[in-house]
Amino acid sequence: MPESGQKTTQGHISERAPESTGAAATRRAGLLVTLVLGGLTALPPLSMDMYLPALPEVTGALNAPAATVQLTLTACLAGMALGQLVVGPMSDKWGRRRPLLIGMIVYALATAVCALAPTAEMLIGFRLLQGLAGAAGIVIARAVVRDLYDGVEMARFFSTLMLISGVAPIIAPLIGGQILRITDWRGVFHVLTVIGVLLTLVVWRFLAETLQPERRHEGGVGQALRTMKGLLADRVFAGYMLTGGLAFAALFAYISASPFVVQEIYGASPQTFSLLFGLNSIGLVAVGQINGKLLVGRVSLDKALGWGLGTILVSSLALLLMTSGVFGEVGLVPIAAGLFVLMSAMGLAMPNTNAQALMRTPHAAGSASALLGTTSFLVGAVASPLVGIAGEHTAVPMAVVQLTCAVLALACFLGLCRPWQTAKAATGS
């Protein structure tokens, strides 16, 4: 097995394995494959964002405090993190299709049970199972991209994928808000169940196997652990992994806190919250497309990533100053503007960290994808309850968590990835 620290230049892999017939056919399918993979990566925002407008209602319906209800988000996120550690190596051993289909079936069943949960504790438990099963879509979608694409082309595809999957966070809270007009929070899970069933059928019908048998790993758990250990020993891979995970945690701090910040603190309706959330998601998708269509190939991935991290840092600092009263009483509009800038900058951070990390790991795309996803979701799961630690009537904890994550992400990028060394290697200086 190749070493995890295999060296690459900016946007190029030293060796690419030959494609199987199925992988080549899948790649030629073009738009159809993009839509299928976009649907799989849309599963996390669908699972979480459609449910966000209902969070205040769930606290009353299940007689549970806000901190307990926020654990339903944490449980789903933690499940998606841990599930990737299992599904990623499974997909390297057995191929992409079989683990993906099993995961999607279990996801649909767990979601259906969430709609029937009589207590917050039961809802938390099945949200955990929902996340464990839904992890298959996230980790295998990234691995399929690595099977099919390389270098700058892969970075462009990740940005295109963000356009497709980015529709989910735009429409999910809007759908959730409209569902709450005609039914209660359980209706959200009924809709998610239908989506899960439909996505399972689409994957079964249209997504071919992309990992040929000769490229699969035959080892068991021990081999998977050794592979992951080798990946973590690669300083640069670990740097991109931590940078992406901490940036995602800043994003998830917003996702977890914003229903209470917008609706409880500033008195907005679920529909207004959904509209603002959708606008922020449009900003993320738009910047992601600027990254893929205009920057990639013209500007180094590290430079674009640095711009994104710097913007996240500045916007999170501005949010902390506003929410802590430094500028006096501020209304919803300045807070919403700060959140919009922060969310938009994720369009530079997220696709470029994924591309840079996966370009170093052509020999173990499933395991590498699992580590990337697990780190992001675990750090996000830790950030989620922290944003509500001071109660429902202050946004300061959200801003503190976001600023802390932004500072740490930038420190990991500079201290571990050392982008100036990559730039020198690319120019041969």
Side-chain angles (χ1 to χ4, degrees), residues 201-345:
L201 294 174
V202 169
V203 168
W204 175 76
R205 176 66 178 84
F206 295 110
L207 188 63
E209 180 59 63
T210 59
L211 186 68
Q212 66 259 46
E214 61 268 23
R215 292 177 60 200
R216 298 176 188 175
H217 296 175
E218 296 300 325
V221 175
Q223 177 64 44
L225 292 175
R226 285 191 293 273
T227 299
M228 289 186 177
K229 181 179 178 181
L231 292 171
L232 292 173
D234 178 1
R235 170 181 54 79
V236 179
F237 173 84
Y240 287 119
M241 179 187 72
L242 291 172
T243 299
L246 288 162
F248 181 83
L251 170 64
F252 198 75
Y254 158 74
I255 292 174
S256 182
S258 59
F260 297 96
V261 171
V262 174
Q263 295 180 75
E264 300 296 330
I265 298 178
Y266 292 99
S269 68
Q271 289 70 38
T272 299
F273 162 73
S274 300
L275 177 61
L276 291 175
F277 196 94
L279 289 174
N280 289 341
S281 300
I282 290 173
L284 187 152
V285 171
V287 174
Q289 293 315 291
I290 292 172
N291 177 70
K293 304 299 183 184
L294 299 179
L295 299 182
V296 171
R298 296 181 176 89
V299 176
S300 73
L301 301 185
D302 279 333
K303 183 174 290 186
L305 173 56
W307 290 345
L309 294 175
T311 304
I312 293 170
L313 178 63
V314 172
S315 58
S316 59
L317 177 60
L319 284 167
L320 178 59
L321 293 176
M322 286 188 289
T323 57
S324 60
V326 172
F327 302 124
E329 291 292 329
V330 297
L332 178 59
V333 172
I335 297 295
L339 291 172
F340 177 82
V341 174
L342 186 146
M343 281 280 284
S344 298

Side-chain angles (χ1 to χ4, degrees), residues 64-86:
T68 299
V69 172
Q70 282 179 324
L71 287 177
T72 62
L73 290 175
T74 302
C76 185
L77 198 64
M80 288 180 178
L82 298 175
Q84 291 182 70
L85 286 178
V86 177

